[in-house]
Amino acid sequence: MRFFKIIAVIVILLVGAYAASMYFFVDENKDFKIEKEIDYPLDKVFPQFNNLQHFTRWNNFFTSSPSIDIDYYTPYEGQGSAISYVDSKNDTDGEMFIRYENPAKSLRYQLFEDRNENPTVVDVQFKAVSPDKTKITWSVHTPKLSVLRRVENFWTEDRFAENITKSMVNLKNVLGNKVEKDNQMASIKYDSLMVENEESKLLLGINVSTSNKKEALYKNIVMNYSKIYNYVTMDLGKKDDEFGFPVLITDADNYKDKEVSYFLGIPLSKKIGVPDNNFSFRTINPSQNYVMYYKGNYEGRIRAVQQLIQKAKKDEMRFGDVRQTFIERPIEGQEVNIKLSLSVFK
């Protein structure tokens, strides 16, 4: 009995010493700043922060858990917008609000975690460093913690910094795809032959062999695009601004054949685990391309492909695959809007 009393006294003394040290030597809350720069213009960056539907697609706090469920409340953008979330697997929940907005300059978020009545307040400031670079500064004010919980303040700043670092990688990928799409749409010159240098791409898609009869090929492309799109968005949970335009790769002159083989894929930023064996990754290596944009019925693309091949032969260039990038998603019964690229080399 005496032994247990001694243990109890020791425990009380240790708890008391811990509480005293927390009270006198550890602040009840934390204030800190984190600064980052991203190589995208301010007018592209700010909408990713003031629209919470965009924000939750790249912020690591929300993307790191596949079991998180988010509800969005109007207005969906700017001051007054809000979300609530529940993560059943990690047994957490909370609410987040945009309390203040100075367009293209600053935002104030409030985050209430796990029914804590005191919020974490995050002020985010934006500054255009150059036309293509934005500086983002997070000023974080954490809620007051009880004496026994103040030890959490030792790792709060590191936790925020790690989350922001991972989030910025995600944001760069999102903006990369978005800006690429915007730039491509703005640079389109139909039926003009151009020369472009293309960077490498990673595609997730499927290999297909099908009939080359009139309209049958395009119907097959539409069907398989739907399969890939649904798999990427529903099974893999990707959003439209997380991937690029779909790309179809085929032999340059197989439009003459009775049967066509092609690979159709959607560009992703990195390889991920794909449990379905019907889908595979394919890498497009950097190349020089002869390029034409075409809009019309799908069969009409053949003339543009022939022009690219004739140009390559005239320039005494060898050529490889033809890549068809669908600027607008392929839909049965509608005209296509595609970029035709013929890889060429000496």
Side-chain angles (χ1 to χ4, degrees), residues 138-166:
W138 288 262
S139 299
V140 182
H141 177 82
T142 66
K144 294 179 180 180
L145 296 177
S146 64
V147 169
L148 295 180
R149 289 187 57 196
R150 286 188 193 177
V151 67
E152 296 176 23
N153 283 332
F154 284 122
W155 56 77
T156 296
E157 184 172 351
D158 290 340
R159 182 168 62 92
F160 263 85
E162 181 183 9
N163 178 74
I164 288 173
T165 297
K166 291 179 178 179

PDB file of all heavy atoms in Angstrom, residues 138-166:
ATOM      1  N   TRP A 138       2.180  33.498 -45.214  1.00  0.00           N
ATOM      2  CA  TRP A 138       1.192  33.038 -44.243  1.00  0.00           C
ATOM      3  C   TRP A 138       1.576  33.561 -42.854  1.00  0.00           C
ATOM      4  O   TRP A 138       2.699  33.321 -42.381  1.00  0.00           O
ATOM      5  CB  TRP A 138       1.160  31.520 -44.162  1.00  0.00           C
ATOM      6  CG  TRP A 138       0.551  30.802 -45.328  1.00  0.00           C
ATOM      7  CD1 TRP A 138      -0.713  30.315 -45.441  1.00  0.00           C
ATOM      8  CD2 TRP A 138       1.212  30.451 -46.554  1.00  0.00           C
ATOM      9  NE1 TRP A 138      -0.893  29.688 -46.660  1.00  0.00           N
ATOM     10  CE2 TRP A 138       0.260  29.763 -47.360  1.00  0.00           C
ATOM     11  CE3 TRP A 138       2.499  30.657 -47.058  1.00  0.00           C
ATOM     12  CZ2 TRP A 138       0.582  29.280 -48.622  1.00  0.00           C
ATOM     13  CZ3 TRP A 138       2.815  30.176 -48.316  1.00  0.00           C
ATOM     14  CH2 TRP A 138       1.861  29.500 -49.085  1.00  0.00           C
ATOM     15  N   SER A 139       0.666  34.280 -42.188  1.00  0.00           N
ATOM     16  CA  SER A 139       0.859  34.704 -40.798  1.00  0.00           C
ATOM     17  C   SER A 139      -0.140  33.915 -39.958  1.00  0.00           C
ATOM     18  O   SER A 139      -1.357  34.119 -40.066  1.00  0.00           O
ATOM     19  CB  SER A 139       0.624  36.207 -40.648  1.00  0.00           C
ATOM     20  OG  SER A 139       1.541  36.941 -41.437  1.00  0.00           O
ATOM     21  N   VAL A 140       0.384  33.036 -39.115  1.00  0.00           N
ATOM     22  CA  VAL A 140      -0.464  32.073 -38.395  1.00  0.00           C
ATOM     23  C   VAL A 140      -0.552  32.449 -36.922  1.00  0.00           C
ATOM     24  O   VAL A 140       0.472  32.713 -36.281  1.00  0.00           O
ATOM     25  CB  VAL A 140       0.086  30.638 -38.542  1.00  0.00           C
ATOM     26  CG1 VAL A 140      -0.830  29.635 -37.835  1.00  0.00           C
ATOM     27  CG2 VAL A 140       0.256  30.274 -40.014  1.00  0.00           C
ATOM     28  N   HIS A 141      -1.768  32.461 -36.398  1.00  0.00           N
ATOM     29  CA  HIS A 141      -2.010  32.685 -34.976  1.00  0.00           C
ATOM     30  C   HIS A 141      -2.814  31.498 -34.457  1.00  0.00           C
ATOM     31  O   HIS A 141      -3.974  31.315 -34.828  1.00  0.00           O
ATOM     32  CB  HIS A 141      -2.785  33.990 -34.760  1.00  0.00           C
ATOM     33  CG  HIS A 141      -3.133  34.265 -33.326  1.00  0.00           C
ATOM     34  ND1 HIS A 141      -2.243  34.823 -32.440  1.00  0.00           N
ATOM     35  CD2 HIS A 141      -4.271  34.034 -32.622  1.00  0.00           C
ATOM     36  CE1 HIS A 141      -2.819  34.940 -31.260  1.00  0.00           C
ATOM     37  NE2 HIS A 141      -4.050  34.464 -31.342  1.00  0.00           N
ATOM     38  N   THR A 142      -2.188  30.665 -33.627  1.00  0.00           N
ATOM     39  CA  THR A 142      -2.862  29.455 -33.147  1.00  0.00           C
ATOM     40  C   THR A 142      -3.699  29.768 -31.905  1.00  0.00           C
ATOM     41  O   THR A 142      -3.435  30.747 -31.191  1.00  0.00           O
ATOM     42  CB  THR A 142      -1.837  28.361 -32.805  1.00  0.00           C
ATOM     43  OG1 THR A 142      -1.035  28.781 -31.687  1.00  0.00           O
ATOM     44  CG2 THR A 142      -0.941  28.070 -33.998  1.00  0.00           C
ATOM     45  N   PRO A 143      -4.701  28.942 -31.611  1.00  0.00           N
ATOM     46  CA  PRO A 143      -5.547  29.181 -30.431  1.00  0.00           C
ATOM     47  C   PRO A 143      -4.790  28.915 -29.135  1.00  0.00           C
ATOM     48  O   PRO A 143      -3.802  28.179 -29.113  1.00  0.00           O
ATOM     49  CB  PRO A 143      -6.697  28.186 -30.616  1.00  0.00           C
ATOM     50  CG  PRO A 143      -6.139  27.109 -31.468  1.00  0.00           C
ATOM     51  CD  PRO A 143      -5.154  27.768 -32.386  1.00  0.00           C
ATOM     52  N   LYS A 144      -5.271  29.518 -28.059  1.00  0.00           N
ATOM     53  CA  LYS A 144      -4.683  29.269 -26.750  1.00  0.00           C
ATOM     54  C   LYS A 144      -4.927  27.825 -26.343  1.00  0.00           C
ATOM     55  O   LYS A 144      -6.010  27.285 -26.554  1.00  0.00           O
ATOM     56  CB  LYS A 144      -5.289  30.212 -25.706  1.00  0.00           C
ATOM     57  CG  LYS A 144      -4.960  31.678 -25.932  1.00  0.00           C
ATOM     58  CD  LYS A 144      -5.620  32.549 -24.865  1.00  0.00           C
ATOM     59  CE  LYS A 144      -5.297  34.023 -25.096  1.00  0.00           C
ATOM     60  NZ  LYS A 144      -5.933  34.899 -24.082  1.00  0.00           N
ATOM     61  N   LEU A 145      -3.903  27.219 -25.740  1.00  0.00           N
ATOM     62  CA  LEU A 145      -4.014  25.839 -25.280  1.00  0.00           C
ATOM     63  C   LEU A 145      -3.941  25.788 -23.763  1.00  0.00           C
ATOM     64  O   LEU A 145      -3.280  26.617 -23.125  1.00  0.00           O
ATOM     65  CB  LEU A 145      -2.884  24.986 -25.875  1.00  0.00           C
ATOM     66  CG  LEU A 145      -2.878  24.808 -27.403  1.00  0.00           C
ATOM     67  CD1 LEU A 145      -1.661  23.999 -27.820  1.00  0.00           C
ATOM     68  CD2 LEU A 145      -4.154  24.135 -27.875  1.00  0.00           C
ATOM     69  N   SER A 146      -4.599  24.798 -23.207  1.00  0.00           N
ATOM     70  CA  SER A 146      -4.518  24.599 -21.759  1.00  0.00           C
ATOM     71  C   SER A 146      -3.095  24.230 -21.381  1.00  0.00           C
ATOM     72  O   SER A 146      -2.283  23.818 -22.230  1.00  0.00           O
ATOM     73  CB  SER A 146      -5.476  23.490 -21.328  1.00  0.00           C
ATOM     74  OG  SER A 146      -5.077  22.251 -21.898  1.00  0.00           O
ATOM     75  N   VAL A 147      -2.765  24.347 -20.115  1.00  0.00           N
ATOM     76  CA  VAL A 147      -1.406  24.079 -19.643  1.00  0.00           C
ATOM     77  C   VAL A 147      -0.948  22.681 -20.045  1.00  0.00           C
ATOM     78  O   VAL A 147       0.188  22.482 -20.496  1.00  0.00           O
ATOM     79  CB  VAL A 147      -1.324  24.257 -18.106  1.00  0.00           C
ATOM     80  CG1 VAL A 147       0.005  23.728 -17.580  1.00  0.00           C
ATOM     81  CG2 VAL A 147      -1.482  25.723 -17.736  1.00  0.00           C
ATOM     82  N   LEU A 148      -1.824  21.700 -19.898  1.00  0.00           N
ATOM     83  CA  LEU A 148      -1.439  20.318 -20.173  1.00  0.00           C
ATOM     84  C   LEU A 148      -1.264  20.042 -21.664  1.00  0.00           C
ATOM     85  O   LEU A 148      -0.601  19.072 -22.034  1.00  0.00           O
ATOM     86  CB  LEU A 148      -2.479  19.354 -19.596  1.00  0.00           C
ATOM     87  CG  LEU A 148      -2.594  19.354 -18.056  1.00  0.00           C
ATOM     88  CD1 LEU A 148      -3.654  18.364 -17.602  1.00  0.00           C
ATOM     89  CD2 LEU A 148      -1.247  19.011 -17.410  1.00  0.00           C
ATOM     90  N   ARG A 149      -1.825  20.894 -22.524  1.00  0.00           N
ATOM     91  CA  ARG A 149      -1.717  20.663 -23.967  1.00  0.00           C
ATOM     92  C   ARG A 149      -0.679  21.563 -24.635  1.00  0.00           C
ATOM     93  O   ARG A 149      -0.466  21.470 -25.844  1.00  0.00           O
ATOM     94  CB  ARG A 149      -3.076  20.887 -24.646  1.00  0.00           C
ATOM     95  CG  ARG A 149      -4.115  19.820 -24.353  1.00  0.00           C
ATOM     96  CD  ARG A 149      -5.359  20.040 -25.205  1.00  0.00           C
ATOM     97  NE  ARG A 149      -5.033  20.059 -26.637  1.00  0.00           N
ATOM     98  CZ  ARG A 149      -5.847  20.528 -27.574  1.00  0.00           C
ATOM     99  NH1 ARG A 149      -7.020  21.052 -27.234  1.00  0.00           N
ATOM    100  NH2 ARG A 149      -5.495  20.492 -28.847  1.00  0.00           N
ATOM    101  N   ARG A 150      -0.026  22.426 -23.879  1.00  0.00           N
ATOM    102  CA  ARG A 150       0.886  23.388 -24.503  1.00  0.00           C
ATOM    103  C   ARG A 150       2.096  22.741 -25.159  1.00  0.00           C
ATOM    104  O   ARG A 150       2.754  23.357 -26.000  1.00  0.00           O
ATOM    105  CB  ARG A 150       1.362  24.405 -23.451  1.00  0.00           C
ATOM    106  CG  ARG A 150       0.293  25.401 -23.098  1.00  0.00           C
ATOM    107  CD  ARG A 150       0.838  26.499 -22.206  1.00  0.00           C
ATOM    108  NE  ARG A 150      -0.246  27.270 -21.628  1.00  0.00           N
ATOM    109  CZ  ARG A 150      -0.079  28.258 -20.754  1.00  0.00           C
ATOM    110  NH1 ARG A 150       1.153  28.600 -20.373  1.00  0.00           N
ATOM    111  NH2 ARG A 150      -1.121  28.913 -20.265  1.00  0.00           N
ATOM    112  N   VAL A 151       2.389  21.513 -24.799  1.00  0.00           N
ATOM    113  CA  VAL A 151       3.507  20.817 -25.440  1.00  0.00           C
ATOM    114  C   VAL A 151       3.306  20.726 -26.953  1.00  0.00           C
ATOM    115  O   VAL A 151       4.270  20.667 -27.714  1.00  0.00           O
ATOM    116  CB  VAL A 151       3.673  19.398 -24.827  1.00  0.00           C
ATOM    117  CG1 VAL A 151       2.487  18.503 -25.170  1.00  0.00           C
ATOM    118  CG2 VAL A 151       4.980  18.767 -25.290  1.00  0.00           C
ATOM    119  N   GLU A 152       2.034  20.768 -27.387  1.00  0.00           N
ATOM    120  CA  GLU A 152       1.738  20.708 -28.821  1.00  0.00           C
ATOM    121  C   GLU A 152       2.356  21.873 -29.584  1.00  0.00           C
ATOM    122  O   GLU A 152       2.625  21.769 -30.787  1.00  0.00           O
ATOM    123  CB  GLU A 152       0.223  20.684 -29.044  1.00  0.00           C
ATOM    124  CG  GLU A 152      -0.479  19.457 -28.486  1.00  0.00           C
ATOM    125  CD  GLU A 152      -1.986  19.527 -28.639  1.00  0.00           C
ATOM    126  OE1 GLU A 152      -2.459  20.276 -29.528  1.00  0.00           O
ATOM    127  OE2 GLU A 152      -2.697  18.855 -27.878  1.00  0.00           O
ATOM    128  N   ASN A 153       2.590  22.988 -28.891  1.00  0.00           N
ATOM    129  CA  ASN A 153       3.161  24.156 -29.549  1.00  0.00           C
ATOM    130  C   ASN A 153       4.599  23.937 -30.010  1.00  0.00           C
ATOM    131  O   ASN A 153       5.122  24.701 -30.821  1.00  0.00           O
ATOM    132  CB  ASN A 153       3.096  25.378 -28.628  1.00  0.00           C
ATOM    133  CG  ASN A 153       1.692  25.974 -28.572  1.00  0.00           C
ATOM    134  OD1 ASN A 153       0.930  25.861 -29.516  1.00  0.00           O
ATOM    135  ND2 ASN A 153       1.352  26.592 -27.455  1.00  0.00           N
ATOM    136  N   PHE A 154       5.246  22.882 -29.481  1.00  0.00           N
ATOM    137  CA  PHE A 154       6.608  22.600 -29.907  1.00  0.00           C
ATOM    138  C   PHE A 154       6.671  22.176 -31.371  1.00  0.00           C
ATOM    139  O   PHE A 154       7.669  22.401 -32.046  1.00  0.00           O
ATOM    140  CB  PHE A 154       7.237  21.515 -29.022  1.00  0.00           C
ATOM    141  CG  PHE A 154       7.670  22.007 -27.673  1.00  0.00           C
ATOM    142  CD1 PHE A 154       7.164  21.434 -26.519  1.00  0.00           C
ATOM    143  CD2 PHE A 154       8.577  23.053 -27.547  1.00  0.00           C
ATOM    144  CE1 PHE A 154       7.552  21.890 -25.268  1.00  0.00           C
ATOM    145  CE2 PHE A 154       8.975  23.516 -26.303  1.00  0.00           C
ATOM    146  CZ  PHE A 154       8.462  22.932 -25.157  1.00  0.00           C
ATOM    147  N   TRP A 155       5.608  21.507 -31.872  1.00  0.00           N
ATOM    148  CA  TRP A 155       5.650  21.032 -33.255  1.00  0.00           C
ATOM    149  C   TRP A 155       4.614  21.695 -34.159  1.00  0.00           C
ATOM    150  O   TRP A 155       4.505  21.366 -35.331  1.00  0.00           O
ATOM    151  CB  TRP A 155       5.477  19.511 -33.300  1.00  0.00           C
ATOM    152  CG  TRP A 155       4.232  18.977 -32.632  1.00  0.00           C
ATOM    153  CD1 TRP A 155       2.964  18.993 -33.115  1.00  0.00           C
ATOM    154  CD2 TRP A 155       4.161  18.346 -31.352  1.00  0.00           C
ATOM    155  NE1 TRP A 155       2.105  18.414 -32.234  1.00  0.00           N
ATOM    156  CE2 TRP A 155       2.810  17.994 -31.131  1.00  0.00           C
ATOM    157  CE3 TRP A 155       5.106  18.024 -30.368  1.00  0.00           C
ATOM    158  CZ2 TRP A 155       2.377  17.362 -29.967  1.00  0.00           C
ATOM    159  CZ3 TRP A 155       4.671  17.389 -29.215  1.00  0.00           C
ATOM    160  CH2 TRP A 155       3.328  17.068 -29.019  1.00  0.00           C
ATOM    161  N   THR A 156       3.859  22.664 -33.638  1.00  0.00           N
ATOM    162  CA  THR A 156       2.831  23.313 -34.456  1.00  0.00           C
ATOM    163  C   THR A 156       3.408  23.989 -35.688  1.00  0.00           C
ATOM    164  O   THR A 156       2.908  23.824 -36.806  1.00  0.00           O
ATOM    165  CB  THR A 156       2.067  24.362 -33.618  1.00  0.00           C
ATOM    166  OG1 THR A 156       1.363  23.688 -32.565  1.00  0.00           O
ATOM    167  CG2 THR A 156       1.077  25.114 -34.471  1.00  0.00           C
ATOM    168  N   GLU A 157       4.472  24.769 -35.512  1.00  0.00           N
ATOM    169  CA  GLU A 157       5.048  25.492 -36.650  1.00  0.00           C
ATOM    170  C   GLU A 157       5.600  24.526 -37.690  1.00  0.00           C
ATOM    171  O   GLU A 157       5.414  24.720 -38.896  1.00  0.00           O
ATOM    172  CB  GLU A 157       6.140  26.445 -36.176  1.00  0.00           C
ATOM    173  CG  GLU A 157       6.710  27.301 -37.297  1.00  0.00           C
ATOM    174  CD  GLU A 157       7.654  28.388 -36.791  1.00  0.00           C
ATOM    175  OE1 GLU A 157       7.729  28.596 -35.557  1.00  0.00           O
ATOM    176  OE2 GLU A 157       8.311  29.030 -37.638  1.00  0.00           O
ATOM    177  N   ASP A 158       6.285  23.468 -37.230  1.00  0.00           N
ATOM    178  CA  ASP A 158       6.822  22.480 -38.164  1.00  0.00           C
ATOM    179  C   ASP A 158       5.698  21.790 -38.936  1.00  0.00           C
ATOM    180  O   ASP A 158       5.841  21.504 -40.129  1.00  0.00           O
ATOM    181  CB  ASP A 158       7.659  21.436 -37.415  1.00  0.00           C
ATOM    182  CG  ASP A 158       8.961  22.003 -36.883  1.00  0.00           C
ATOM    183  OD1 ASP A 158       9.398  23.057 -37.391  1.00  0.00           O
ATOM    184  OD2 ASP A 158       9.529  21.416 -35.946  1.00  0.00           O
ATOM    185  N   ARG A 159       4.593  21.516 -38.244  1.00  0.00           N
ATOM    186  CA  ARG A 159       3.457  20.856 -38.901  1.00  0.00           C
ATOM    187  C   ARG A 159       2.867  21.748 -39.997  1.00  0.00           C
ATOM    188  O   ARG A 159       2.566  21.295 -41.093  1.00  0.00           O
ATOM    189  CB  ARG A 159       2.390  20.508 -37.853  1.00  0.00           C
ATOM    190  CG  ARG A 159       1.184  19.780 -38.411  1.00  0.00           C
ATOM    191  CD  ARG A 159       0.346  19.218 -37.265  1.00  0.00           C
ATOM    192  NE  ARG A 159      -0.167  20.265 -36.394  1.00  0.00           N
ATOM    193  CZ  ARG A 159      -1.353  20.848 -36.542  1.00  0.00           C
ATOM    194  NH1 ARG A 159      -2.153  20.487 -37.535  1.00  0.00           N
ATOM    195  NH2 ARG A 159      -1.760  21.784 -35.700  1.00  0.00           N
ATOM    196  N   PHE A 160       2.719  23.047 -39.684  1.00  0.00           N
ATOM    197  CA  PHE A 160       2.216  23.990 -40.685  1.00  0.00           C
ATOM    198  C   PHE A 160       3.176  24.112 -41.858  1.00  0.00           C
ATOM    199  O   PHE A 160       2.758  24.128 -43.026  1.00  0.00           O
ATOM    200  CB  PHE A 160       1.994  25.364 -40.047  1.00  0.00           C
ATOM    201  CG  PHE A 160       0.582  25.618 -39.634  1.00  0.00           C
ATOM    202  CD1 PHE A 160       0.114  25.192 -38.397  1.00  0.00           C
ATOM    203  CD2 PHE A 160      -0.296  26.275 -40.480  1.00  0.00           C
ATOM    204  CE1 PHE A 160      -1.197  25.427 -38.010  1.00  0.00           C
ATOM    205  CE2 PHE A 160      -1.606  26.507 -40.110  1.00  0.00           C
ATOM    206  CZ  PHE A 160      -2.064  26.094 -38.871  1.00  0.00           C
ATOM    207  N   ALA A 161       4.463  24.220 -41.554  1.00  0.00           N
ATOM    208  CA  ALA A 161       5.468  24.392 -42.612  1.00  0.00           C
ATOM    209  C   ALA A 161       5.490  23.188 -43.545  1.00  0.00           C
ATOM    210  O   ALA A 161       5.565  23.342 -44.781  1.00  0.00           O
ATOM    211  CB  ALA A 161       6.847  24.604 -41.992  1.00  0.00           C
ATOM    212  N   GLU A 162       5.392  21.995 -42.993  1.00  0.00           N
ATOM    213  CA  GLU A 162       5.382  20.782 -43.814  1.00  0.00           C
ATOM    214  C   GLU A 162       4.128  20.736 -44.699  1.00  0.00           C
ATOM    215  O   GLU A 162       4.202  20.396 -45.879  1.00  0.00           O
ATOM    216  CB  GLU A 162       5.434  19.545 -42.919  1.00  0.00           C
ATOM    217  CG  GLU A 162       5.449  18.233 -43.697  1.00  0.00           C
ATOM    218  CD  GLU A 162       5.437  17.009 -42.795  1.00  0.00           C
ATOM    219  OE1 GLU A 162       5.248  17.164 -41.559  1.00  0.00           O
ATOM    220  OE2 GLU A 162       5.584  15.894 -43.324  1.00  0.00           O
ATOM    221  N   ASN A 163       2.997  21.106 -44.115  1.00  0.00           N
ATOM    222  CA  ASN A 163       1.755  21.106 -44.880  1.00  0.00           C
ATOM    223  C   ASN A 163       1.817  22.105 -46.034  1.00  0.00           C
ATOM    224  O   ASN A 163       1.400  21.813 -47.159  1.00  0.00           O
ATOM    225  CB  ASN A 163       0.571  21.444 -43.967  1.00  0.00           C
ATOM    226  CG  ASN A 163      -0.745  21.498 -44.710  1.00  0.00           C
ATOM    227  OD1 ASN A 163      -1.301  20.480 -45.093  1.00  0.00           O
ATOM    228  ND2 ASN A 163      -1.258  22.705 -44.937  1.00  0.00           N
ATOM    229  N   ILE A 164       2.360  23.302 -45.763  1.00  0.00           N
ATOM    230  CA  ILE A 164       2.449  24.321 -46.807  1.00  0.00           C
ATOM    231  C   ILE A 164       3.412  23.895 -47.911  1.00  0.00           C
ATOM    232  O   ILE A 164       3.139  24.100 -49.102  1.00  0.00           O
ATOM    233  CB  ILE A 164       2.853  25.675 -46.189  1.00  0.00           C
ATOM    234  CG1 ILE A 164       1.672  26.251 -45.392  1.00  0.00           C
ATOM    235  CG2 ILE A 164       3.303  26.650 -47.266  1.00  0.00           C
ATOM    236  CD1 ILE A 164       2.004  27.499 -44.604  1.00  0.00           C
ATOM    237  N   THR A 165       4.535  23.286 -47.539  1.00  0.00           N
ATOM    238  CA  THR A 165       5.495  22.824 -48.538  1.00  0.00           C
ATOM    239  C   THR A 165       4.852  21.804 -49.479  1.00  0.00           C
ATOM    240  O   THR A 165       4.989  21.892 -50.712  1.00  0.00           O
ATOM    241  CB  THR A 165       6.720  22.197 -47.856  1.00  0.00           C
ATOM    242  OG1 THR A 165       7.386  23.195 -47.070  1.00  0.00           O
ATOM    243  CG2 THR A 165       7.692  21.642 -48.886  1.00  0.00           C
ATOM    244  N   LYS A 166       4.142  20.834 -48.923  1.00  0.00           N
ATOM    245  CA  LYS A 166       3.471  19.822 -49.753  1.00  0.00           C
ATOM    246  C   LYS A 166       2.344  20.452 -50.575  1.00  0.00           C
ATOM    247  O   LYS A 166       2.123  20.087 -51.732  1.00  0.00           O
ATOM    248  CB  LYS A 166       2.918  18.709 -48.872  1.00  0.00           C
ATOM    249  CG  LYS A 166       4.000  17.852 -48.221  1.00  0.00           C
ATOM    250  CD  LYS A 166       3.400  16.771 -47.339  1.00  0.00           C
ATOM    251  CE  LYS A 166       4.479  15.896 -46.730  1.00  0.00           C
ATOM    252  NZ  LYS A 166       3.908  14.850 -45.832  1.00  0.00           N
TER     253      LYS A 166
END
